[in-house]
Amino acid sequence: TGAGKDGTADNGAAGLAGSSSASGLSAANLLSQQKPTKEVTVSLVRRAVSSDAHAVKELITPFAVAIFGNQNPARLIEQAVICIVLVDADDEVLGFGAFCDFPVQPRRSQRVPIVKWPAWLELNYSMSKASPFDTLFCHLLVAKPGFSTGLYDEIMSAVFQSMPHIRQLLLMTSEDASLGVALTNTFT
């Protein structure tokens, strides 16, 4: 599923990256356990730096692992096309998003080389609009428990503002992945 720059949904990709949670917790159960403990105010939206990696790791829940797989925040910060972090007045990390120029795929044997993914998307998902010049793939999107919907929107907006040539952000998941309310609202 994708988010377009103009706010429209691009429902062509429901791909490969999700894995089912072995813990038996459903997305609804995990989301209901994440109640806000205080009001959150985003003070700064900026590109992530390597010193943010530990705080980002603390935001990764079993629910996020079920959607994105085991991601290494330090590696993402160094290798992604863009990583956005939201911080409060105390410089506490509230949310994080990492976007790469290739889709997330569960097994190395199934990885599609960067130069071949547009044809792969067209063949497997009938997505002819995706191009390496205007498309990024979400590799990780996490936020403080209870605040994800608003923070995800801030992160997506920051990507589109800082990279005006990007027209769509895609989230590749398995067909049976349960995205929960916040990710569903963000990517549809």
Side-chain angles (χ1 to χ4, degrees):
T1 307
K5 188 172 197 167
D6 59 2
T8 60
D10 183 351
N11 296 320
L16 295 173
S19 61
S20 59
S21 173
S23 67
L25 293 174
S26 70
N29 289 342
L30 287 166
L31 289 175
S32 67
Q33 295 171 8
Q34 299 179 358
K35 301 290 185 208
T37 55
K38 65 176 184 170
E39 192 168 316
V40 169
T41 303
V42 174
S43 294
L44 183 63
V45 178
R46 62 173 168 78
R47 285 186 181 246
V49 294
S50 58
S51 61
D52 295 321
H54 179 72
V56 170
K57 190 171 185 149
E58 297 296 317
L59 296 176
I60 298 174
T61 63
F63 176 71
V65 173
I67 301 278
F68 299 102
N70 288 317
Q71 295 288 353
N72 179 336
R75 183 188 56 79
L76 286 172
I77 290 169
E78 294 302 320
Q79 296 178 353
V81 172
I82 186 169
C83 290
I84 298 292
V85 68
L86 307 175
V87 298
D88 67 9
D90 298 324
D91 206 34
E92 178 184 1
V93 174
L94 305 173
F96 172 82
F99 301 88
C100 297
D101 56 358
F102 58 93
V104 176
Q105 297 166 5
R107 293 188 300 267
R108 287 197 179 273
S109 63
Q110 292 181 335
R111 291 200 178 187
V112 177
I114 292 172
V115 296
K116 293 185 179 181
W117 71 252
W120 175 81
L121 280 177
E122 173 65 28
L123 177 68
N124 292 291
Y125 303 102
S126 301
M127 289 191 65
S128 59
K129 293 188 225 177
S131 142
F133 304 109
D134 67 3
T135 303
L136 291 177
F137 296 89
C138 183
H139 281 232
L140 184 62
L141 190 60
V142 292
K144 270 287 217 210
F147 299 99
S148 40
T149 299
L151 297 178
Y152 291 168
D153 291 345
E154 287 284 331
I155 291 167
M156 302 291 271
S157 178
V159 172
F160 286 126
Q161 288 176 11
S162 64
M163 302 187 78
H165 65 283
I166 297 300
R167 301 192 47 79
Q168 53 193 352
L169 299 171
L170 301 179
L171 172 60
M172 305 298 288
T173 65
S174 63
E175 289 182 21
D176 62 342
S178 177
L179 297 181
V181 174
L183 281 173
T184 299
N185 289 343
T186 300
F187 281 97
T188 56

